Amino acid sequence: MKFKFLATVLLSGSMAMTQAQTIDKVDKPIDLVSTLVGTQSTYFLSTGNTYPAIAMPWGMNFWSPQTGKMGDGWMYMYTAEKLRGFKQTHQPSPWMNDYGQFSIMPMVGVKTFDQDKRASYFSHKAEVAKPHYYSVYLADYDVTTEITPTERAAYFRFTFPKTDEAYVLLDAFDKGSYVEVIPNEQKIVGYSTKNSGGVPDNFKNYFVLQFDRPFANISTFADSMLVDGRYLVKADHVGALVGFQIANPGDQVLLKVASSFISREQAERNLRELEGTDFDQRVAVGENVWNTELKKIEIEGGSIDDMRTFYSCLYRSLLFPRMFYEIDANGNVVHYSPYNGEVLPGYMFTDTGFWDTFRSLFPFLNLMYPEMSEKMQDGLANAYRESGWLPEWASPGLRNVMVGNNSASVVADAWIKGIRSKDIETLYEALKHGANNAGPLTAVGRAGASYYNDLGYVPYDVGINENAARTLEYAYDDFAIYQLAKALNKPTDDISFYKKRSFNYEKLFDPSTGLMRGKNKDGRFQAPFNPFKWGDAFTEGNSWHYTWSVFQDVEGLAKLMGGHRAMEIKLDSVFSLPPIFDDSYYGFPIHEIREMQVANMGQYAHGNQPIQHMIYLYNHVGAPWKAQYWVRETMKRMYSPLPDGYCGDEDNGQTSAWYVFSALGFYPVTPAVDEYVVGAPLFKKATLHLSNGKKIVVEAPKNSDSNRYIHAMKWNGKGYTKNFIKHSELVKGATLSFDMAPEPNKSRGTAKGDLPFSLSKDDR
C-alpha cells in the first residue's frame, strides 16, 4: 500500500514534494542552481574545472571569488581555505586561462597589496553562490562581500565593522597596467593588459570603479612599492588602495564597477547598466533574468538532486560563448575586434572551443535560444571578415588549441535548424576557405589540408600529430558543408565534392581490428598499433573513443564492422573492457585518462567529448534499449549537484548540454541534420517553451530509476516507434508521451525505418 502526500516546503523556494523526495513543481528554478558544481577540481583530476561564475546569461563580464594566485588558471578551488580577492574574469577554462582581468578585495586593518598577506579565511558555510548573487564572509576582516552582475557591470556591497582602517584594494595585475584615482569623483579608472594570448597588440581592458562615499586616504602601488598620496601609476603591475572611516558596525560601502575593451569612455557608458537600481533591486532584476531563461524548460516529477543537477547544468549551458560586444553612445552594437584591434560595428562572441561545443551546446542554443544563435552567427561572419578565418577556439581571438574544422558544424547546424543569418553567403565562403587550406595556426583552417585534399586523410608519418582524429573530424565537417550546400542550393559540383569527402572516414577503418587507425602516406596502417594508446594519432583519447566519430554515417560504419549486430557487440565492448591505457605519448596519465579510469565504466570516457555521443549509436543498429540503459546510467553516475558533480572538464557548456538534452529524452548525435536521436527521459514531465510560442511537452508519468526503458512512445497521441524525432516537426509544437517500464521492449525501434539518419541511406 502506498501513501503519497503533498506538502509545501521552503527549500530554496516554494516546491511541492512527495514523501519520496519527488519534486512536482518548481516556481523559482534559480534557487536550485549551484554555481559551485565542478569547482572541486585540480590539475590532475577534473570534476568540472569550473569556477562560480557570477554573471548574466552570455554576459560580457563574469566575476568570481579568487582563491588562486594572480595568473593561476584555477582561480577558485573548492578545497581552498582563503580568498585573495574578487576577480573580473573572461576565462573559459583553466587550460585557456584568462584575459581582461583585475581583482577587488576589501580589508580591515591591513594595508597591503601582497596577494598572500591580504588573503582571508572563509568558509562555504558563510558563502552563497548563485548566478545573479554571491556573498561571502571574510573572517580575518569581519567583512561581508556581496556581488550582483549585469552584462558588462557589477554592483558590490561591503559590510564593514566599525573602524578607521577600512580599505578596498584594486589589483590591476601584471604584464602592463595603469591606475588613476580621482578623489573628487570618488572613482578609480585604469586598464589591465594581462592576457594568455589571442589578442592584438593594442589590447586593453578599461575599467571604472565608482564608490558611494569619499575616500579617507589613498595609496597606489607600482610593482613592489606602495606609496601614500599618489594618485596615478603606470607600470608592469599596479593597483590602488582607498580607505574609509566606518562610523558604525554594519555600515556598508557600495561600489559600482564596469569595464570595456573599447575605451574608458565606453566603460563609463557600460556603468550605466546599473542606473536606476540600488543593490537589492539589482539582485531582484538578475534573479528575474535568470528565472526567465531557466523557466523556458520546466521540469516536473524528479528527485531533488536530479532537479538541482538539471538546472545547474542549464545555467552552465547559458554562459558561453560570451558577448564580446558593447553598445555605443548612439545605441549601436559595436565591438573591439580581438582579431585586428579595430573598433567595428556588429556582434562578436567569444570564449568557446568548437571541438567541444559543436556536439550539443550549439544545437541546444539553436533549439531553445534561436535569436541568440542568430547573433552568434553574425558574430562568426565578423570574425571571418576581420581575421580571414573562422575561429575554432576563440579566447578572445584565434587560439592554437585542439583539432578539427568544426566551425562548419556550428554554421551548418544553425541554418539547418532554421537560424537565418543575413551573412550566410559570407559564412559559406568562410567554410569552404577553412575546409581547403591550412591556416595561420595549426588549429585554424585544416592542418594537413594538402594531404587531406590529395589522399583523403592526414597521414600518420608526416609530422602532423593527432592525424586520425583530424581526418575523422574533417570528414564530418565536409558532411556539414555538404548539408549546407544542399540547403542553399549551391552548384552541383560543390554538393557532390563535399558529399564525396564525407566518406573519407572509410580510409582509416582497419578491418583487422574493427577500429579506426592511423595510416601512413604510402597507404599502410601505422604499426605497431595499440587501441588503448591515448594521443598520438588521436586527440585526448584512443581508438576506442574515436572510432565512433562518424556522426554523419553510422550505417556506413556498421557495414564496415560487419553489420548491425557486429557493431552492437563492439559498442558493448566499450563498457566491458577494463579501463586500461597507454599514456606513452604524453609521458604521464593526463587528467582525462584518470577520469576514465576512476569512473568504472570500462573504456567509456564521458569526461571528454569524443565519445559522448556513442551511447546513442545503439539506436542506429536496432538496439535502442541499450541506449536507454546507458544514458540513464551515465546521468546517474557521472553527474551530481555537488562540487565534484562532473566527471571531467565541463567545457563551456558542452558536458552540461549533454545532460540537459539527455534528461529531456533526445540528443543531437549528428549536428547539421534535422534529427535528434531518442534516449530515455529522466523526469515525469518536461515542458519546453520555444521562442516561437510553441511548446514541446515530454511526458513520462511512470518514470523512475528502475523504469528507464521505453515500452511504448506516442507523438501527439499516435503510436511512434522511430528512434529519432525531427527538429522541424518539434518546433511546430509537440507532445511526446513515453510509457516507461523496468524491462526493455526489444521489439520497438528495430525496423529499418525506425533507425536515425545515416549518409549511406537514402536522404530523408
Side-chain angles (χ1 to χ4, degrees):
M1 187 176 185
K2 289 185 177 180
F3 295 89
K4 180 179 178 182
F5 68 94
L6 296 178
T8 301
V9 298
L10 186 65
L11 180 64
S12 299
S14 176
M15 305 168 195
M17 299 176 63
T18 69
Q19 195 172 24
Q21 299 291 295
T22 299
I23 310 300
D24 287 339
K25 186 177 180 181
V26 177
D27 293 328
K28 294 167 62 179
I30 196 171
D31 290 336
L32 292 179
V33 174
S34 171
T35 65
L36 298 177
V37 178
T39 59
Q40 191 175 308
S41 299
T42 69
Y43 177 90
F44 298 101
L45 190 70
S46 173
T47 64
N49 264 334
T50 63
Y51 55 89
I54 311 156
M56 287 292 98
W58 307 289
M60 188 179 91
N61 298 330
F62 295 178
W63 288 85
S64 175
Q66 180 188 350
T67 63
K69 291 188 176 183
M70 177 178 64
D72 187 349
W74 282 261
M75 77 175 85
Y76 180 94
M77 299 180 72
Y78 188 82
T79 53
E81 299 171 338
K82 290 185 176 184
L83 286 177
R84 290 184 166 87
F86 303 91
K87 179 181 175 185
Q88 188 189 89
T89 177
H90 302 90
Q91 178 171 295
S93 81
W95 310 106
M96 303 301 292
N97 216 300
D98 210 347
Y99 66 92
Q101 55 200 295
F102 57 91
S103 187
I104 293 167
M105 182 67 173
M107 298 177 288
V108 171
V110 176
K111 193 174 182 180
T112 183
F113 62 87
D114 185 281
Q115 59 183 328
D116 293 324
K117 293 178 180 177
R118 76 190 189 216
S120 170
Y121 279 96
F122 80 108
S123 169
H124 299 298
K125 299 179 181 67
E127 180 185 42
V128 178
K130 293 294 178 184
H132 70 298
Y133 173 78
Y134 180 86
S135 173
V136 69
Y137 177 68
L138 300 176
D140 288 333
Y141 302 129
D142 191 23
V143 172
T144 297
T145 297
E146 300 168 275
I147 311 171
T148 188
T150 68
E151 290 173 348
R152 299 169 188 84
Y155 222 141
F156 281 72
R157 183 163 65 187
F158 306 110
T159 302
F160 283 99
K162 180 180 179 180
T163 179
D164 291 333
E165 296 181 288
Y167 301 100
V168 174
L169 170 75
L170 165 71
D171 188 338
F173 287 12
D174 61 359
K175 307 305 180 184
S177 48
Y178 164 84
V179 162
E180 180 182 356
V181 182
I182 310 173
N184 62 325
E185 297 182 26
Q186 299 164 197
K187 186 179 292 183
I188 303 173
V189 299
Y191 61 74
S192 170
T193 66
K194 188 174 180 64
N195 67 82
S196 302
V199 300
D201 291 340
N202 66 346
F203 170 80
K204 293 182 177 67
N205 186 37
Y206 299 90
F207 51 76
V208 54
L209 285 68
Q210 178 70 66
F211 291 85
D212 72 329
R213 62 175 65 198
F215 306 141
N217 51 74
I218 298 167
S219 304
T220 57
F221 69 85
D223 299 331
S224 61
M225 185 175 298
L226 181 68
V227 177
D228 294 338
R230 181 177 60 182
Y231 295 175
L232 188 153
V233 282
K234 181 179 180 182
D236 179 69
H237 183 192
V238 304
L241 194 65
V242 292
F244 304 93
Q245 293 180 339
I246 307 300
N248 303 294
D251 279 358
Q252 296 174 332
V253 173
L254 295 172
L255 167 62
K256 297 178 180 179
V257 188
S259 71
S260 168
F261 298 108
I262 295 173
S263 66
R264 171 184 162 183
E265 292 74 22
Q266 183 63 42
E268 297 267 11
R269 197 170 291 118
N270 293 342
L271 196 64
R272 297 174 191 168
E273 292 184 352
L274 293 167
E275 282 185 351
T277 56
D278 62 22
F279 186 91
D280 292 320
Q281 290 170 333
R282 183 59 236 175
V283 172
V285 170
E287 178 179 318
N288 182 63
V289 169
W290 272 107
N291 270 324
T292 297
E293 301 300 340
L294 296 170
K295 288 189 76 172
K296 289 181 178 177
I297 304 180
E298 294 187 279
I299 300 300
E300 303 174 43
S303 72
I304 180 62
D305 277 356
D306 288 343
M307 290 283 195
R308 286 171 171 157
T309 301
F310 181 88
Y311 282 115
S312 295
C313 282
L314 184 52
Y315 148 75
R316 290 279 170 197
S317 301
L318 304 183
L319 292 176
F320 298 100
R322 79 168 75 250
M323 301 170 183
F324 202 77
Y325 65 87
E326 305 175 49
I327 310 300
D328 71 10
N330 298 315
N332 298 316
V333 174
V334 296
H335 64 272
Y336 165 82
S337 173
Y339 303 103
N340 63 22
E342 299 178 16
V343 177
L344 297 165
Y347 291 107
M348 182 63 64
F349 290 81
T350 192
D351 291 328
T352 188
F354 295 154
W355 183 84
D356 304 290
T357 54
F358 86 84
R359 303 164 195 268
S360 66
L361 176 67
F362 278 95
F364 175 69
L365 299 179
N366 292 336
L367 173 64
M368 293 303 304
Y369 302 92
E371 293 84 3
M372 186 60 64
S373 290
E374 185 174 343
K375 295 176 182 177
M376 293 173 184
Q377 293 294 310
D378 293 347
L380 280 175
N382 287 330
Y384 174 63
R385 294 185 187 103
E386 293 160 25
S387 72
W389 301 88
L390 287 177
E392 302 300 334
W393 231 118
S395 180
L398 301 176
R399 297 290 292 273
N400 202 23
V401 181
M402 305 312 292
V403 304
N405 180 220
N406 297 307
S407 54
S409 177
V410 172
V411 172
D413 189 64
W415 188 264
I416 297 298
K417 301 289 177 57
I419 311 301
R420 292 294 177 255
S421 170
K422 67 180 185 301
D423 291 312
I424 190 60
E425 293 298 333
T426 298
L427 289 168
Y428 182 73
E429 171 193 308
L431 295 190
K432 291 179 62 178
H433 177 62
N436 293 285
N437 296 280
L441 303 173
T442 306
V444 177
R446 293 188 178 181
S450 60
Y451 292 108
Y452 182 83
N453 295 345
D454 291 341
L455 302 173
Y457 63 94
V458 180
Y460 179 85
D461 58 345
V462 295
I464 299 175
N465 66 339
E466 303 172 11
N467 39 82
R470 295 180 194 276
T471 298
L472 293 169
E473 295 199 22
Y474 294 168
Y476 163 69
D477 297 330
D478 283 332
F479 167 79
I481 300 172
Y482 157 69
Q483 287 286 91
L484 182 59
K486 283 196 304 178
L488 295 176
N489 294 313
K490 291 299 178 184
T492 302
D493 287 350
D494 271 18
I495 294 172
S496 59
F497 176 76
Y498 289 103
K499 181 175 184 179
K500 180 180 179 181
R501 296 210 310 193
S502 302
F503 291 100
N504 279 342
Y505 71 89
E506 297 174 342
K507 299 181 186 300
L508 294 192
F509 184 80
D510 172 21
S512 69
T513 62
L515 296 169
M516 296 295 176
R517 183 171 175 180
K519 181 177 280 189
N520 292 331
K521 187 179 178 181
D522 63 6
R524 291 182 295 179
F525 285 110
Q526 59 91 193
F529 174 62
N530 180 353
F532 301 105
K533 185 176 184 178
W534 282 61
D536 198 16
F538 301 100
T539 301
E540 295 181 0
N542 62 34
S543 182
W544 277 103
H545 306 145
Y546 254 96
T547 290
W548 314 107
S549 291
V550 187
F551 312 91
Q552 70 276 24
D553 194 18
V554 182
E555 181 70 20
L557 178 62
K559 288 178 181 177
L560 292 175
M561 289 183 169
H564 288 179
R565 179 57 183 158
M567 180 167 165
E568 181 185 345
I569 293 171
K570 205 78 170 182
L571 288 165
D572 292 343
S573 299
V574 172
F575 297 106
S576 62
L577 285 166
I580 58 177
F581 57 87
D582 175 352
D583 64 1
S584 59
Y585 177 76
Y586 301 105
F588 64 96
I590 60 174
H591 74 94
E592 290 91 349
I593 292 176
R594 287 293 184 218
E595 288 141 21
M596 179 197 74
Q597 184 187 34
V598 302
N600 193 27
M601 290 180 74
Q603 287 291 315
Y604 183 67
H606 189 78
N608 210 18
Q609 281 65 44
I611 204 170
Q612 286 182 349
H613 68 295
M614 164 253 162
I615 289 173
Y616 286 93
L617 301 190
Y618 281 112
N619 286 279
H620 292 71
V621 295
W625 58 90
K626 291 187 177 180
Q628 294 154 25
Y629 173 83
W630 284 113
V631 165
R632 289 285 289 269
E633 193 72 4
T634 301
M635 285 191 282
K636 179 181 178 180
R637 291 166 57 178
M638 298 292 106
Y639 292 82
S640 85
L642 302 176
D644 65 346
Y646 293 103
C647 54
D649 285 352
E650 195 279 328
D651 282 325
N652 307 112
Q654 165 58 29
T655 301
S656 292
W658 185 97
Y659 185 94
V660 172
F661 263 126
S662 296
L664 296 174
F666 53 94
Y667 185 80
V669 167
T670 311
V673 302
D674 185 37
E675 287 184 8
Y676 304 99
V677 176
V678 175
L682 181 62
F683 301 102
K684 294 183 185 297
K685 186 177 181 181
T687 303
L688 287 67
H689 299 274
L690 304 180
S691 65
N692 63 3
K694 304 293 185 179
K695 294 181 182 179
I696 302 170
V697 179
V698 181
E699 300 175 331
K702 296 180 184 177
N703 229 338
S704 68
D705 183 50
S706 59
N707 286 6
R708 62 175 61 180
Y709 296 103
I710 300 173
H711 176 71
M713 178 182 171
K714 292 181 178 180
W715 181 301
N716 291 337
K718 296 182 180 180
Y720 192 83
T721 63
K722 299 183 188 305
N723 298 335
F724 62 90
I725 51 181
K726 284 189 171 290
H727 172 91
S728 56
E729 295 298 319
L730 275 182
V731 296
K732 296 175 183 177
T735 297
L736 308 178
S737 302
F738 293 87
D739 181 13
M740 306 301 289
E743 299 295 333
N745 179 354
K746 296 185 179 181
S747 63
R748 184 196 167 277
T750 59
K752 182 178 179 181
D754 293 334
L755 308 186
F757 171 88
S758 281
L759 186 59
S760 288
K761 302 193 299 182
D762 292 337
D763 290 348
R764 288 195 292 264

